[in-house]
Amino acid sequence: MKNKNIPIYIGIIVAVALMALCILNYFKKPLMINLQLVSDNFVSPVKLVEPPDNTGRLFVADRIGVVKIVKNKSVLDEPFLDLRENMVELQENYDERGLLGVAFSPSFGTDNKFYVYYSAPLRGGAPEGFDHTSRISEFTVSNSNPDKADLSSERIILEIDQPQFNHNGGEILFGPDGYLYVAVGDGGNADDFGLGHSETGNAQDLKSPLGKILRIDTDGGIPADNPFHNEIYAYGFRNPFRMSFDRKTGELFVGDVGQNLWEEVDIVEKGKNYGWNIKEGNHCFSHESPDDSPADCRNVGYNGEELAAPILEYDHSQGISLIGGFVYRGKEIPKLYGKYVFGDWSGSFTSAAGKIFVAEPSAQTKTRGWTITHTKEINSFVLGFGEDENGELYLLTSNEAGPAGNTGKIYKIVK
Ligand SMILES: [Ca+2]
Ligand SMILES: [Ca+2]
């Protein structure tokens, strides 16, 4: 009798082993996407956007201060916009300043307006010892040439004095509500501490625009339902360098670059506190031990408010600077639909070792936890992602850590 059962046991063992292999493979799965070179010869491309005007042009913002147009896969010789004379001089080996964001008016086809976020020299009257002034400006397109901005049309919308060169955020986006969302870092330095940083840290200070997602009306003034009756929409961010709206759900996905230990993605809602510098990711933080999360910390903000948890986090074995991306809503890669495609800048400052990640909601729970399901290693620094009007995605890379050289490339993410 016993002997007859052996084949059944073997069968069960083999079946279990196969299932385990399948599960393991699922987590190890390389990314089911490829990269198709669209255009190269950029320096440090940080943003790609297609205006809503049906001209099929892709606009690429390069950190060095120019916006270039890619038309039928070739770059127009003359930049659309050249802001280099208006900007601070960048450090070639590494810099977090520069031209960081560009956004087109939702009515661009008729009003010809667009907006940029860039690092200008420190304005008069700024606090002593500060580094530069972040400027958000409106420009219009030239009347005579649709491929050229009118540099003389600049209208400054907002200026923010920056204590240090780093943590400037820099993304600007129009929301589904027609307002302009602006991502601003905590001011820089480290720990949200030191010169130009409030006692609680700027990110937790509702009197400071630093460490915030701001929301402004480009026609003037502050939206009537902003939660604190100023520009602040949400707070508690360290360096929200890249963010995007899910074009289907309208949710705002923010990639917040962490400090020494944890990188995080947040779905950002109006009025909420996202935790920095009380927390880094889901973990307590203290400027007294930035390499070692304290076991305990306050669990609420300084006004008793709840701290909103990230939807996902990873530690520095995976990468050291999270680069926010997009929820894929295109048609060409059906398997990617509804998934969040983002990346990491590099595993270190000295080697070009970026990553692309794909994450999806953890279906079993009703919490907002998302899980990374796929990873693709890139032998370049990952600088940003872009989305065209069809919802197809692009990857922006460079082989240089700083704004130097000409290795900047634009890839389309394809099947
Ligand atoms: Ca700064
Ligand atoms: Ca956080």
Side-chain angles (χ1 to χ4, degrees), residues 132 162-168 187-188:
H132 69 282
Q162 294 278 354
Q164 288 89 19
F165 86 106
N166 56 343
H167 306 180
N168 304 315

Side-chain angles (χ1 to χ4, degrees), residues 236 264 266 274-276 281:
E264 71 176 75
D266 301 293
Y274 287 82
W276 176 253

Side-chain angles (χ1 to χ4, degrees), residues 4 100 131 205 213 227 336 393:
K4 270 192 180 172
L100 301 176
D131 182 79
D205 180 357
I213 307 299
L336 211 54
L393 301 184

Side-chain angles (χ1 to χ4, degrees), residues 23 43-44 63 73 80 112 153 169 176 198 256-257 263 279 289 314:
I23 291 166
V43 181
S44 195
R63 184 188 290 276
K73 293 195 175 183
F80 171 69
N112 279 321
S153 67
S198 311
D256 195 11
V257 180
E263 303 296 313
K279 290 196 170 182
S289 60
Y314 60 79

Side-chain angles (χ1 to χ4, degrees), residues 22-277:
C22 282
I23 291 166
L24 273 174
N25 264 332
Y26 178 76
F27 287 112
K28 279 186 185 166
K29 224 175 199 172
L31 201 49
M32 64 296 197
I33 55 168
N34 281 307
L35 300 175
Q36 186 180 77
L37 184 67
V38 173
S39 178
D40 58 6
N41 230 12
F42 294 91
V43 181
S44 195
V46 290
K47 171 88 184 179
L48 175 148
V49 62
E50 179 177 1
D53 66 349
N54 296 310
T55 57
R57 296 174 299 170
L58 300 174
F59 287 69
V60 178
D62 197 313
R63 184 188 290 276
I64 59 166
V66 296
V67 178
K68 290 192 166 182
I69 297 176
V70 181
K71 219 183 205 173
N72 302 323
K73 293 195 175 183
S74 68
V75 183
L76 301 189
D77 289 339
E78 280 286 302
F80 171 69
L81 177 69
D82 187 342
L83 280 173
R84 282 176 284 194
E85 295 289 309
N86 302 30
M87 280 189 4
V88 288
E89 200 176 315
L90 301 183
Q91 307 165 153
E92 287 204 338
N93 58 334
Y94 182 75
D95 213 317
E96 294 185 14
R97 302 169 300 178
L99 174 58
L100 301 176
V102 56
F104 290 88
S105 158
S107 320
F108 181 69
T110 51
D111 69 14
N112 279 321
K113 290 177 179 169
F114 68 95
Y115 301 83
V116 291
Y117 178 127
Y118 67 92
S119 307
L122 192 64
R123 64 177 164 173
E128 183 81 31
F130 272 36
D131 182 79
H132 69 282
T133 298
S134 287
R135 185 179 287 161
I136 291 109
S137 288
E138 177 188 275
F139 285 89
T140 51
V141 178
S142 151
N143 283 326
S144 55
N145 182 356
D147 293 333
K148 199 85 192 160
D150 177 359
L151 198 56
S152 70
S153 67
E154 179 166 22
R155 181 173 73 90
I156 295 171
I157 305 269
L158 184 67
E159 287 186 311
I160 300 168
D161 299 320
Q162 294 278 354
Q164 288 89 19
F165 86 106
N166 56 343
H167 306 180
N168 304 315
E171 184 76 73
I172 52 173
L173 292 175
F174 280 93
D177 53 13
Y179 294 129
L180 188 69
Y181 290 71
V182 181
V184 188
D186 68 10
N189 208 21
D191 309 323
D192 197 359
F193 193 77
L195 172 80
H197 295 258
S198 311
E199 209 169 306
T200 60
N202 290 328
Q204 290 296 323
D205 180 357
L206 288 170
K207 290 190 209 78
S208 168
L210 297 166
K212 308 295 182 316
I213 307 299
L214 309 178
R215 184 172 71 161
I216 52 181
D217 185 344
T218 52
D219 294 330
I222 287 156
D225 63 335
N226 268 14
F228 306 106
H229 312 292
N230 54 19
E231 288 93 353
I232 296 169
Y233 180 76
Y235 60 111
F237 300 96
R238 182 177 175 276
N239 188 15
F241 175 57
R242 300 291 85 171
M243 63 182 182
S244 67
F245 284 97
D246 180 337
R247 54 169 62 200
K248 180 160 179 262
T249 65
E251 287 172 310
L252 177 58
F253 283 71
V254 174
D256 195 11
V257 180
Q259 190 164 290
N260 298 2
L261 299 173
W262 296 98
E263 303 296 313
E264 71 176 75
V265 178
D266 301 293
I267 293 181
V268 170
E269 293 176 350
K270 185 169 77 177
K272 288 194 173 174
N273 180 349
Y274 287 82
W276 176 253
N277 66 353

Side-chain angles (χ1 to χ4, degrees), residues 300-326:
V300 293
Y302 294 95
N303 298 303
E305 73 281 24
E306 197 182 313
L307 304 179
I311 61 161
L312 71 80
E313 65 172 12
Y314 60 79
D315 68 27
H316 279 193
S317 66
Q318 298 298 309
I320 60 170
S321 293
L322 191 144
I323 304 293
F326 291 84

